[in-house]
Amino acid sequence: MSNPFTGQSIESARRALAAQLRSARLDEAELDARILISAALGLDLTGLVTQAARLLTATEASRLAQHAQRRIAGEPVSRILGTREFWGLPFRLSEATLVPRPDTETVVELALEILRERQASHPPRIADIGTGSGAILLALLHEIPDAFGVGTDLSQNALMTARDNAAALGLADRAAFVACSYAAALGGPFDLIVSNPPYIPSAEIPKLSIEVREHDPHLALDGGNDGYDAYRALIPQASERLAPGGALVVEAGHGQAQNIETLMRAAALSLDRSPKADLAGIPRAVSARKMPP
């Protein structure tokens, strides 16, 4: 099969790629085309503009065709590139990690609000349960320069990715990573525990977009029959490991916030604020506090 990008200029190749993506009924075809051709050629936006008339080399045309084939097959752009921006920071991905999503930044926002209200004589101690790429934990450490954090995950592959991200962001000296189920290997006490646990009901996973169901790890998606298995395990463990006055912040799926609050109350945690909504108005970050005795 001939390569449709052979002999084309950068601009004509970009237009051709966008047309292919539109024909495949992919959203944001123009944006995806620009990002993929930038990656294939190693050029930023300025380079694409100033070199628009330059013909692609055979190697560039081949690389672009591979990117196009993968995207048309439903692979997300971030998976093709192997990186994703979260909280303004670059995160490397692996097959064992979720793609960090803008909705999850709501968890970071609420966690920072809570940390900045805190009055204590020691630097905050943070745990991120099911850390994946380390996105939530490392975003918090980036914002709170004296904080120390630990991330847990069942997947050694995910933990390797998180360690690499911590090193690349210059945060390795304040971040540790441990393989365990939820918080089982942690002692505490922690001033803040955060988590984006699996919360999709098992029966709903086949209905997710191909980008998610075929490319995100099911271990990080599947929340059991009703979507609450992870919360039932995580919340009591977190309650035991929080310092007095410490807070738990978790991401919630659509319509889950109220039930999560019920589980938090059952674990002797106090609800001192309403869930924080994401940009779509969905209650996305749910928090509770361990009150002093």
Side-chain angles (χ1 to χ4, degrees), residues 157-289:
N157 190 347
L159 292 172
M160 289 175 60
T161 305
R163 288 188 187 100
D164 288 346
N165 284 325
L169 294 169
L171 298 170
D173 60 334
R174 294 194 286 122
F177 298 95
V178 179
C180 67
S181 176
Y182 301 111
L186 301 184
F190 292 96
D191 303 294
L192 173 71
I193 297 178
V194 293
S195 184
N196 176 18
Y199 56 70
I200 307 297
S202 301
E204 297 296 317
I205 290 177
K207 305 174 187 178
L208 299 173
S209 69
I210 189 172
E211 286 90 345
V212 176
R213 72 173 187 266
E214 296 295 334
H215 298 282
D216 274 341
H218 280 212
L219 183 66
L221 296 172
D222 194 339
N225 288 338
D226 63 359
Y228 294 97
D229 281 2
Y231 299 107
R232 293 189 188 97
L234 163 66
I235 291 171
Q237 289 184 5
S239 180
E240 293 172 359
R241 290 159 176 81
L242 282 171
L248 170 65
V249 183
V250 300
E251 180 166 331
H254 188 277
Q256 292 182 324
Q258 187 172 358
N259 288 337
I260 292 169
E261 288 183 326
T262 298
L263 291 171
M264 288 175 163
R265 281 192 294 263
L269 295 173
S270 176
L271 306 174
D272 62 351
R273 67 186 71 213
S274 299
K276 189 174 184 66
D278 62 19
L279 292 176
I282 296 168
R284 186 65 66 182
V286 184
S287 68
R289 193 178 298 274

Side-chain angles (χ1 to χ4, degrees):
M1 182 176 177
S2 62
N3 186 331
F5 304 112
T6 299
Q8 293 208 37
S9 70
I10 289 176
E11 176 59 19
S12 62
R14 184 195 64 76
R15 292 178 182 274
L17 176 56
Q20 285 188 16
L21 300 184
R22 283 195 299 272
S23 295
R25 300 182 182 276
L26 293 172
D27 295 334
E28 299 184 328
E30 292 288 343
L31 176 61
D32 287 358
R34 180 176 63 76
I35 294 172
L36 291 175
I37 197 168
S38 294
L41 276 59
L43 296 174
D44 59 13
L45 178 59
T46 300
L48 292 181
V49 172
T50 58
Q51 301 183 45
R54 175 175 72 77
L55 298 183
L56 270 62
T57 67
T59 298
E60 290 170 339
S62 176
R63 190 180 302 124
L64 186 59
Q66 292 172 10
H67 287 355
Q69 185 177 24
R70 292 170 67 181
R71 183 68 190 107
I72 289 168
E75 189 170 353
V77 170
S78 54
R79 292 283 180 197
I80 297 170
L81 304 186
T83 61
R84 172 76 175 211
E85 184 178 287
F86 178 83
W87 201 257
L89 304 170
F91 286 88
R92 188 173 73 81
L93 307 176
S94 70
E95 62 183 11
T97 65
L98 287 174
V99 175
R101 292 173 172 82
D103 291 344
T104 303
E105 293 189 349
T106 312
V107 174
V108 178
E109 291 170 0
L110 181 55
L112 287 173
E113 290 175 13
I114 291 170
L115 282 177
R116 287 166 177 160
E117 293 170 359
R118 169 179 170 269
Q119 296 180 354
S121 58
H122 62 270
R125 299 159 297 193
I126 304 170
D128 180 12
I129 310 304
T131 193
S133 65
I136 297 176
L137 176 64
L138 298 175
L140 291 170
L141 296 182
H142 177 77
E143 293 293 329
I144 310 293
D146 63 342
F148 176 84
V150 57
T152 73
D153 208 286
L154 276 175
S155 168
Q156 289 284 1
N157 190 347
L159 292 172
M160 289 175 60
T161 305
R163 288 188 187 100
D164 288 346
N165 284 325
L169 294 169
L171 298 170
D173 60 334
R174 294 194 286 122
F177 298 95
V178 179
C180 67
S181 176
Y182 301 111
L186 301 184
F190 292 96
D191 303 294
L192 173 71
I193 297 178
V194 293
S195 184
N196 176 18
Y199 56 70
I200 307 297
S202 301
E204 297 296 317
I205 290 177
K207 305 174 187 178
L208 299 173
S209 69
I210 189 172
E211 286 90 345
V212 176
R213 72 173 187 266
E214 296 295 334
H215 298 282
D216 274 341
H218 280 212
L219 183 66
L221 296 172
D222 194 339
N225 288 338
D226 63 359
Y228 294 97
D229 281 2
Y231 299 107
R232 293 189 188 97
L234 163 66
I235 291 171
Q237 289 184 5
S239 180
E240 293 172 359
R241 290 159 176 81
L242 282 171
L248 170 65
V249 183
V250 300
E251 180 166 331
H254 188 277
Q256 292 182 324
Q258 187 172 358
N259 288 337
I260 292 169
E261 288 183 326
T262 298
L263 291 171
M264 288 175 163
R265 281 192 294 263
L269 295 173
S270 176
L271 306 174
D272 62 351
R273 67 186 71 213
S274 299
K276 189 174 184 66
D278 62 19
L279 292 176
I282 296 168
R284 186 65 66 182
V286 184
S287 68
R289 193 178 298 274
K290 183 173 185 175
M291 300 307 292

